[in-house]
Amino acid sequence: MASRAQEQTLLGLCDGELDSKRHRSSFLTNKVGGHPDWLPGISRQSPRCGHCGAPLAHVVQVYCPLEASPYHRNLHLFACPGAACSGRSDSWTVLRSQCLEERTASRPAPAQEAPPAATEWCDTADDWGVEEEEDGWGGGVEEDSQGQEKTAAPEEKAGEVDVSSRLQDLNLGASHEDVPVLRPFFISVAEESDLCGERDDLWHAQQLLREYESREGMAVGELEGGCDRGGEEKYEKTSARHGDAVFSRFMKKISLCPQQILRYCRGGTPLFVSELPPPAAAQLASAACGRCRGSRTFELQLMPALVSLLRREDGGGGEAELEFGTVLVYTCTDSCWTAGAGAAVEELCFVQTDPDQQLFK
């Protein structure tokens, strides 16, 4: 079931390492790296690189149900960490999976410490961490009358994966031996509009300061760390003279929150790192869903700040495993799905580094 276009942009931020000894993630968890948590009834998939054929590493998991839809919904992004595959769209894969909510509604959560409450990337989302408990996590762990930990309420309401999906986490034979695993991190959410409000407050304070300077005939100086709107416009025009105007707009937009690792705005407009060559723009505009042949719409993109987090879980090497400017994800506008389908649907992934490296998946 299709959702109306997302009216607000949500920003994904790194919210601490996901320690498997303390937290159990599920398909409700938004996270970087680790192993994918598949929805109940969805077969475990191990995509391979379209360029070199190597198994792909799991990069990001997003829980993103659509408004008024009866389905749980996940997006999983995978990428090849091979140096020769860096920046290639055919070295990335994005899989969409869905499951009727009724399949999980009656299943109790396991009695163990739970991760922070999962955030839905939709209009009715409860931002992760809005009501923080003493341990610093929204929807934290409570204790019963005997001092035993019990699972947080959000997990109890949403249910947990069934036994068959838990078995997917086990290393069966040698199936995972060659699959690179990236260090897992939680993803928390902030509304971009809230950050814009903070910037407007700062601009208003600077305006009052300038009025005071004019009235008193003395220069107090700019507020520390501030920049007025005129300065922003000057930055954009100056940068455009010496470089790509599209890239200048990209940098100006993310400067409000440079630490953002993900932008979510289904049905919105993506931020491009550079101007698309005409063939690439035409392909994006006409790309159809591989399953129903309907149209696709922009849903989310990965941002440059994510690159520094993408390191192997085993600690092998300190360098980032992947390099990109941005990774854009386009999904079926109708989010087509057949109840009982056991395999995830592949969606469109587009990587931007520079114009010469823009290859489609």
Side-chain angles (χ1 to χ4, degrees):
M1 184 181 296
S3 169
R4 64 183 176 86
Q6 184 82 25
E7 294 182 350
Q8 61 184 1
T9 297
L10 301 178
L11 305 182
L13 310 171
C14 177
D15 202 10
E17 190 162 4
L18 198 167
D19 185 351
S20 60
K21 296 179 181 179
R22 297 182 54 225
H23 302 286
R24 178 185 177 84
S25 67
S26 74
F27 65 83
L28 298 169
T29 308
N30 298 310
K31 67 179 183 178
V32 172
H35 294 285
D37 300 303
W38 299 107
L39 284 161
I42 300 298
S43 59
R44 182 178 61 193
Q45 295 177 249
S46 300
R48 290 185 170 271
C49 177
H51 179 61
C52 71
L56 302 183
H58 181 245
V59 179
V60 166
Q61 170 178 299
V62 176
Y63 178 64
C64 47
L66 303 183
E67 182 182 14
S69 170
Y71 289 99
H72 291 296
R73 185 171 178 272
N74 278 128
L75 291 176
H76 291 279
L77 276 74
F78 300 83
C80 180
C85 300
S86 178
R88 298 182 60 97
S89 293
D90 58 354
S91 296
W92 284 75
T93 292
V94 55
L95 299 178
R96 169 175 57 86
S97 57
Q98 299 179 199
C99 170
L100 285 171
E101 293 181 0
E102 63 188 32
R103 291 199 57 176
T104 59
S106 61
R107 290 183 173 85
Q112 57 183 295
E113 184 172 355
T119 300
E120 297 179 1
W121 301 78
C122 56
D123 289 336
T124 57
D126 293 327
D127 284 346
W128 182 4
V130 170
E131 297 182 3
E132 295 185 351
E133 301 296 331
E134 292 184 356
D135 62 356
W137 297 103
V141 178
E142 302 176 5
E143 294 186 355
D144 58 23
S145 58
Q146 297 174 342
Q148 299 297 315
E149 292 181 350
K150 64 179 183 180
T151 305
E155 293 288 338
E156 292 172 353
K157 292 180 180 178
E160 185 55 274
V161 293
D162 58 11
V163 174
S164 62
S165 60
R166 292 175 196 169
L167 290 176
Q168 294 172 357
D169 294 332
L170 299 177
N171 187 353
L172 304 178
S175 59
H176 282 305
E177 287 184 359
D178 298 325
V179 179
V181 179
L182 303 177
R183 290 177 59 187
F185 295 89
F186 286 113
I187 298 177
S188 62
V189 179
E191 292 185 14
E192 187 176 46
S193 59
D194 290 343
L195 298 177
C196 289
E198 293 176 3
R199 182 182 63 179
D200 289 342
D201 290 342
L202 178 60
W203 179 85
H204 179 64
Q206 291 173 338
Q207 185 70 19
L208 293 176
L209 179 61
R210 284 191 291 270
E211 292 175 0
Y212 173 80
E213 290 176 341
S214 177
R215 184 171 61 253
E216 298 297 325
M218 56 183 293
V220 178
E222 295 287 348
L223 292 178
E224 184 177 356
C227 61
D228 61 24
R229 291 183 176 181
E232 289 179 354
E233 184 67 20
K234 183 185 299 182
Y235 162 76
E236 182 179 22
K237 292 180 178 178
T238 302
S239 300
R241 293 193 194 103
H242 299 285
D244 187 348
V246 176
F247 180 71
S248 296
R249 288 195 294 270
F250 178 89
M251 294 303 296
K252 176 184 176 183
K253 188 69 173 178
I254 69 173
S255 65
L256 184 63
C257 182
Q259 67 270 32
Q260 60 185 278
I261 61 175
L262 186 152
R263 294 176 65 86
Y264 186 96
C265 187
R266 180 173 166 82
T269 303
L271 292 178
F272 293 103
V273 172
S274 59
E275 186 173 359
L276 291 178
Q283 281 184 282
L284 271 182
S286 62
C289 173
R291 185 173 180 274
C292 71
R293 306 313 301 171
S295 64
R296 279 188 166 119
T297 187
F298 170 74
E299 184 153 351
L300 65 84
Q301 67 187 108
L302 305 184
M303 304 302 286
L306 176 61
V307 172
S308 63
L309 298 178
L310 302 179
R311 304 170 186 271
R312 289 184 183 270
E313 190 175 42
D314 58 15
E319 297 298 322
E321 296 289 341
L322 298 163
E323 294 287 345
F324 55 82
T326 187
V327 179
L328 302 106
V329 173
Y330 291 77
T331 60
C332 177
T333 303
D334 292 328
S335 196
C336 62
W337 191 257
T338 301
V345 176
E346 185 170 352
E347 296 286 12
L348 177 66
C349 195
F350 177 61
V351 179
Q352 263 200 316
T353 51
D354 62 63
D356 294 330
Q357 293 180 304
Q358 293 170 9
L359 303 174
F360 272 90
K361 169 65 178 176

